[in-house]
């Protein structure tokens, strides 16, 4: 499935430990990172290097007498090519390593004592590593849990799940985190995120009745 937005939608401060490919199926989008801007038109895509912060502004396509919604998807690559690694943010190796682990298992216990045990360091040493990179454990956990939610929402493959699977105590806390971390508007957050727990496919009406049909897009923005 892909995200459908009927209005200009800005998502800010996105960051993934893996390369993130944004593709426009309809409409247009502007990707920004620092002072660099990339314009995407219908059918175009761009891969953001690992752990580079970026914003995504999606625009519906305007035509005489009608507005066609913007449709876009986001896919994370399993492995970064040498070119992607050279363009990645190499200044935060500890934070990137931890971000990747959190993204893979957002509902795990990510308290300092457990992470420090995994890395065979003391909790104080762990915090000092992250502090030196301008990061904090708490903020990184929240950010990557939100990143997981967004990746599920914007993936072209059906990906269900709820607040517990994303590591949040409640749907309300997940919605609030999405608003705080990436700027998902309050009027959209609840409607969008509710689909994560109701994305099960429905039987298609056919001769045998055993085929499964899935909607192509998530029509909620």
């Amino acid at each position: 499935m892909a995200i459908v937005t009927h209005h200009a939608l800005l998502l800010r401060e996105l960051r993934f430990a893996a390369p993130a490919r944004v593709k426009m199926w309809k409409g247009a989008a502007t990707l920004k990172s620092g002072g660099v801007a990339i314009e995407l038109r219908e059918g175009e895509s761009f891969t953001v290097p690992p752990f580079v912060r970026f914003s995504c502004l999606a625009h519906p396509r305007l035509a005489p007498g009608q507005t066609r919604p913007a449709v876009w998807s986001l896919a994370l690559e399993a492995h970064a090519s040498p070119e992607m690694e050279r363009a990645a943010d190499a200044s935060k190796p500890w934070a990137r390593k931890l971000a990747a682990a959190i993204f893979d298992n957002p509902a795990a216990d990510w308290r300092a004592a457990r992470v420090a045990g995994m890395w065979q360091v003391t909790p104080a040493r762990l915090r000092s590593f992250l502090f030196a990179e301008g990061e904090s454990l708490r903020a990184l956990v929240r950010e990557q849990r939100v990143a997981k939610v967004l990746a599920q929402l914007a993936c072209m493959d059906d990906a269900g799940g709820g607040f517990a699977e994303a590591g949040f105590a409640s749907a309300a806390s997940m919605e609030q985190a999405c608003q705080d971390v990436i700027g998902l508007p309050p009027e959209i957050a609840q409607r969008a995120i509710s689909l994560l727990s109701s994305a099960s496919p429905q039987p298609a009406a056919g001769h045998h009745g055993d085929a499964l049909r899935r909607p192509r897009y998530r029509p909620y923005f």
Side-chain angles (χ1 to χ4, degrees):
M1 298 185 185
I3 286 183
V4 177
T5 176
H6 296 272
H7 308 281
L9 175 67
L10 173 63
L11 299 180
R12 52 175 172 77
E13 295 296 304
L14 306 177
R15 186 169 63 163
F16 301 90
R21 182 169 60 86
V22 178
K23 180 170 183 178
M24 291 305 303
W25 298 86
K26 295 181 181 179
T30 302
L31 305 181
K32 288 186 177 181
S33 179
V36 179
I38 301 292
E39 301 292 339
L40 296 182
R41 304 302 177 190
E42 189 168 310
E44 296 180 338
S45 65
F46 181 80
T47 301
V48 180
F51 224 50
V52 171
R53 288 193 185 276
F54 68 101
S55 63
C56 178
L57 174 61
H59 311 269
R61 189 171 70 180
L62 302 178
Q66 64 176 350
T67 301
R68 293 187 63 189
V71 180
W72 60 280
S73 62
L74 179 133
L76 300 181
E77 300 178 2
H79 302 286
S81 67
E83 293 78 9
M84 283 290 107
E85 282 296 345
R86 285 193 290 270
D89 183 352
S91 66
K92 301 183 177 184
W94 288 94
R96 180 182 169 186
K97 177 182 176 182
L98 181 54
I102 297 168
F103 185 89
D104 287 342
N105 190 10
D109 176 7
W110 292 109
R111 288 176 295 181
R114 176 178 176 271
V115 179
M118 292 167 53
W119 288 357
Q120 298 183 338
V121 297
T122 65
R125 188 66 172 160
L126 167 67
R127 292 191 177 94
S128 70
F129 287 152
L130 296 177
F131 180 78
E133 296 178 358
E135 305 283 346
S136 75
L137 177 59
R138 182 176 181 180
L140 197 60
V141 170
R142 197 172 192 229
E143 173 195 273
Q144 288 304 303
R145 284 174 171 170
V146 168
K148 185 71 170 186
V149 171
L150 180 62
Q152 288 178 323
L153 288 172
C155 181
M156 284 301 289
D157 297 324
D158 187 28
F163 63 84
E165 289 85 350
F168 292 99
S170 66
S173 64
M174 182 164 70
E175 294 160 12
Q176 188 63 55
C178 288
Q179 294 169 30
D180 295 344
V181 176
I182 63 174
L184 192 63
E187 65 273 15
I188 291 176
Q190 184 175 9
R191 184 166 69 252
I193 293 171
S194 67
L195 291 183
L196 285 178
S197 58
S198 60
S200 57
Q202 299 297 320
H207 179 69
H208 298 288
D210 57 354
L212 296 180
R213 179 178 59 197
R214 302 175 186 224
R216 292 180 62 198
Y217 308 125
R218 298 182 187 273
Y220 45 71
F221 289 119

